[in-house]
C-alpha cells in the first residue's frame, strides 16, 4: 500500500494548498444552458460549437480535446461543452455576488446576440425542455463516451444525468482543514433544502413534470460510488485525508495520460496511476466524482438547477451569506445535530416525493427553508444583497418553485 500512501499525501497536499488566507470569502459560479432551435429541436454539436466560437474574443484560448474545440478560456471565465452539448460558463471567483453577476449577465447578453443569427436560443432549466434524454447524442469527446457506457451499468439514470440535466453550481473558499470540514458538512446538511428551493425542471423526458427536484431524483440513481453524500461525512476523522482515501480507492472510469484519454472501468486511481500523482492527475481524479458537494481546491455545491439570472443572483447571495459566517454555520450544525448521511439521503427522497409538503430531519421542509432564509438575511451587510435574494425568498414564502411558476 506504499503507492496509496504516497498518493494520499499528494492529494492532501493539493487540498492544503487550496486553503485561502483568512479573509473575505470569494464565490465562484458555473451555469449550464441547453441550446435549441426556436422550434425546440436540439442544437447539433456543430451548431453549439459554432455558437461558442462566435463568442470568442481577442485573447481567448480555444480548449481542444480529442481533436475538437470543446471550450474557450477567457480572462474572467471558461466556456465548456458538456456531454450532450450543454454550454457551461465557469466564472472566476469574485468577492461579491454583484461582480459575479456582472460577468454572467454580460456573457448572457453576448450569448443571445450570438445565437440569434443561428436561429438558436438558450434555456436556463434543470432538465431538457423538449426531448427525452436518449434522443440527445453525446458530443465527440472520449471521456463522455466511456462514462456513458460505464454509468448505464451502474444505475437507471446515467443517460438522463449526462444528456438531460443542467445545473447552477456555486463554489466557496475554505481557509483551513477545520474550516473545510465545517463548511462541507453544512453544505451537505442543507443540500436537500437548496435542491427544492432551486427546483426548475418543468419538463422531464419531453412531458410536463409534476415531480419536485427531478434532478435530485436522477442523480440519486446514477452511481453510488461517486454521487450523493460522501459516506464518511460525519465520521470523527473526516477531513482531507479521509476524502482522498475514499476517491483514490473507488472506480475511476476515465484516466488521462497527457493528451490521451483512457477508459479504465472499475480500476481505481490507486491502480491506474504511478505512486507520484501530479497536479493534473489529481484534478482528473477529483473531476470523476459528482457528490452533491464536492471538494477540489474549493468547495463546490452542486444541487441547484440551472435558473434565470435573477434567481441565480439570489441563490448566490444565500450561499455567500451562510458560508461567510462561521456563526451561521455553527447554528446550522447545532440545528441539525445528530443528523446522519442516511438522514440527509432520506430528506432528499422526501423532497422528491412530496416537495413543500415533505418532512426533513423530522420537521416541515417549508419551516426549514424559512429558517435558512432567516439565517442568511440576518447576516446581509448590504441592501443590494437583500434585494438580490428577494425573488428566491418570495418563492419560498409562497411555498412554490420555479418549476411550478415560470412559463416555458
Amino acid at each position: 500500500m506504499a503507492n496509496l500512501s504516497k498518493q494520499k499525501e499528494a492529494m492532501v497536499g493539493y487540498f492544503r494548498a487550496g486553503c485561502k488566507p483568512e479573509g473575505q470569502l470569494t464565490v465562484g459560479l458555473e451555469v449550464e444552458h441547453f441550446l435549441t432551435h426556436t422550434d425546440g429541436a436540439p442544437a447539433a454539436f456543430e451548431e453549439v460549437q459554432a455558437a461558442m466560437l462566435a463568442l470568442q474574443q481577442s485573447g481567448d484560448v480555444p480548449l481542444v480535446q480529442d481533436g475538437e474545440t470543446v471550450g474557450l478560456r477567457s480572462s474572467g471565465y471558461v466556456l465548456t461543452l458538456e456531454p450532450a452539448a450543454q454550454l457551461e460558463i465557469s466564472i472566476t471567483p469574485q468577492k461579491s455576488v454583484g461582480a459575479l453577476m456582472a460577468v454572467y449577465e454580460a456573457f448572457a447578453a453576448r450569448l443571445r446576440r450570438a445565437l440569434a443569427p443561428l436561429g438558436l436560443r438558450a434555456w436556463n432549466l434543470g432538465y431538457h425542455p423538449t426531448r427525452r434524454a436518449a434522443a440527445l447524442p453525446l458530443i465527440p469527446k472520449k471521456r463522455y463516451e466511456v462514462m456513458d457506457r460505464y454509468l448505464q451499468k451502474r444505475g437507471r439514470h446515467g443517460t438522463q444525468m449526462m444528456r438531460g440535466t443542467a445545473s447552477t453550481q456555486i463554489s466557496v473558499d475554505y481557509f483551513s482543514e477545520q474550516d473545510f470540514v465545517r463548511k462541507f458538512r453544512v453544505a451537505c446538511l442543507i443540500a436537500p433544502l437548496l435542491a427544492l428551493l432551486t427546483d426548475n425542471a418543468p419538463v422531464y423526458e419531453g412531458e410536463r413534470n409534476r415531480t419536485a427536484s427531478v434532478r435530485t431524483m436522477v442523480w440519486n440513481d446514477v452511481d453510488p460510488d461517486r454521487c450523493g453524500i460522501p459516506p464518511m461525512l460525519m465520521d470523527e476523522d473526516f477531513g482531507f485525508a479521509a476524502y482522498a482515501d475514499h476517491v483514490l480507492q473507488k472506480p475511476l472510469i476515465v484516466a488521462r495520460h497527457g493528451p490521451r484519454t483512457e477508459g479504465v472501468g472499475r480500476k481505481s486511481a490507486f491502480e491506474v496511476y504511478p505512486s507520484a500523482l501530479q497536479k493534473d492527475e489529481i484534478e482528473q481524479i477529483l473531476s470523476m466524482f459528482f457528490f452533491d458537494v464536492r471538494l477540489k481546491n474549493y468547495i463546490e455545491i452542486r444541487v441547484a438547477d440551472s435558473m434565470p439570472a435573477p434567481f441565480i443572483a439570489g441563490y448566490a447571495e444565500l450561499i455567500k451569506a451562510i458560508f461567510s459566517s462561521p456563526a451561521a454555520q455553527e447554528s446550522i450544525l447545532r440545528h441539525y445535530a445528530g443528523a446522519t448521511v442516511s438522514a440527509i439521503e432520506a430528506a432528499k427522497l422526501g423532497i422528491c416525493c412530496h416537495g413543500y409538503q415533505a418532512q426533513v430531519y423530522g420537521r416541515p421542509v417549508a419551516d426549514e427553508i424559512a429558517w435558512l432564509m432567516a439565517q442568511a438575511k440576518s447576516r446581509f451587510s448590504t441592501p443590494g444583497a437583500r434585494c438580490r435574494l428577494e425573488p428566491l425568498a418570495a418563492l419560498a414564502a409562497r411555498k412554490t418553485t420555479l418549476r411550478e411558476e415560470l412559463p416555458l
Side-chain angles (χ1 to χ4, degrees):
M1 299 294 282
N3 285 2
L4 178 60
S5 177
K6 291 178 181 178
Q7 290 184 346
K8 282 176 62 177
E9 183 180 348
M11 189 170 282
V12 168
Y14 177 85
F15 294 147
R16 291 196 188 284
C19 294
K20 308 304 186 295
E22 287 276 1
Q24 187 175 359
L25 186 85
T26 66
V27 178
L29 172 66
E30 298 182 12
V31 185
E32 295 173 319
H33 310 77
F34 297 111
L35 270 57
T36 72
H37 291 269
T38 52
D39 65 359
F45 164 68
E46 293 79 8
E47 293 173 308
V48 179
Q49 189 182 52
M52 182 183 65
L53 292 174
L55 295 167
Q56 186 171 358
Q57 303 178 99
S58 176
D60 289 357
V61 179
L63 304 177
V64 179
Q65 287 190 13
D66 304 322
E68 293 282 0
T69 300
V70 293
L72 288 175
R73 184 178 300 279
S74 182
S75 59
Y77 59 81
V78 175
L79 297 182
T80 52
L81 299 185
E82 297 304 298
Q86 301 97 319
L87 179 63
E88 179 183 84
I89 180 172
S90 303
I91 301 174
T92 302
Q94 305 289 327
K95 291 182 179 180
S96 74
V97 173
L100 200 67
M101 292 309 298
V103 175
Y104 179 73
E105 289 169 358
F107 158 78
R110 290 179 54 239
L111 178 62
R112 287 191 294 271
R113 291 194 297 270
L115 294 179
L118 301 172
L120 302 177
R121 64 165 293 185
W123 302 76
N124 288 76
L125 295 172
Y127 204 86
H128 197 280
T130 64
R131 294 293 190 271
R132 296 177 62 86
L136 302 169
L138 294 175
I139 69 172
K141 188 174 178 180
K142 186 171 181 181
R143 168 186 166 112
Y144 296 147
E145 295 169 7
V146 172
M147 287 174 58
D148 187 55
R149 288 195 300 270
Y150 181 90
L151 293 177
Q152 287 187 33
K153 300 175 183 178
R154 296 293 295 158
R156 292 180 300 169
H157 294 315
T159 296
Q160 288 91 331
M161 179 277 286
M162 291 186 67
R163 294 166 169 83
T165 64
S167 66
T168 299
Q169 300 174 21
I170 300 287
S171 61
V172 297
D173 299 328
Y174 57 87
F175 305 129
S176 66
E177 185 170 13
Q178 181 182 19
D179 187 57
F180 151 71
V181 170
R182 183 180 66 245
K183 287 174 175 169
F184 199 92
R185 284 176 172 162
V186 165
C188 289
L189 285 164
I190 66 174
L193 310 181
L194 299 177
L196 179 59
L197 188 61
T198 61
D199 178 9
N200 187 32
V203 174
Y204 175 63
E205 291 293 85
E207 298 182 359
R208 186 69 189 183
N209 174 40
R210 308 294 179 187
T211 300
S213 298
V214 76
R215 250 187 82 255
T216 298
M217 181 200 74
V218 167
W219 276 99
N220 276 355
D221 195 359
V222 171
D223 183 357
D225 286 330
R226 68 197 66 254
C227 301
I229 302 297
M232 63 289 186
L233 174 73
M234 296 301 180
D235 291 354
E236 187 174 340
D237 64 349
F238 179 64
F240 293 153
Y243 194 98
D245 188 65
H246 184 79
V247 300
L248 286 168
Q249 297 191 73
K250 292 295 182 182
L252 185 57
I253 307 178
V254 175
R256 282 190 68 82
H257 301 281
R260 183 169 57 89
T261 300
E262 176 188 12
V264 297
R266 293 194 61 78
K267 289 184 179 180
S268 67
F270 163 59
E271 297 171 289
V272 169
Y273 288 108
S275 58
L277 286 176
Q278 304 301 312
K279 181 182 176 183
D280 60 341
E281 293 169 337
I282 291 171
E283 290 175 346
Q284 159 66 16
I285 294 164
L286 296 176
S287 77
M288 291 306 302
F289 291 83
F290 316 115
F291 302 121
D292 294 353
V293 184
R294 179 163 69 176
L295 175 59
K296 293 186 174 179
N297 52 5
Y298 47 81
I299 297 169
E300 183 180 80
I301 303 168
R302 300 169 46 81
V303 294
D305 285 358
S306 182
M307 299 176 284
F311 297 92
I312 294 172
Y315 179 60
E317 288 288 8
L318 174 68
I319 296 298
K320 189 171 191 300
I322 291 166
F323 290 92
S324 293
S325 170
Q329 296 153 40
E330 292 295 346
S331 180
I332 290 168
L333 290 174
R334 288 194 301 272
H335 190 66
Y336 297 123
T340 62
V341 169
S342 294
I344 299 172
E345 295 290 359
K348 291 163 58 181
L349 179 60
I351 282 170
C352 292
C353 293
H354 304 293
Y356 264 98
Q357 304 306 310
Q359 297 274 318
V360 294
Y361 309 119
R363 306 180 182 99
V365 70
D367 293 350
E368 295 308 288
I369 287 178
W371 180 83
L372 186 67
M373 285 286 182
Q375 293 296 308
K377 288 178 179 179
S378 68
R379 289 165 173 90
F380 283 153
S381 58
T382 66
R386 185 176 292 270
C387 182
R388 279 186 285 269
L389 180 66
E390 186 51 36
L392 204 60
L395 279 178
R398 294 195 299 272
K399 301 179 184 179
T400 189
T401 64
L402 282 167
R403 170 180 60 85
E404 298 162 293
E405 290 211 344
L406 283 185
L408 284 177

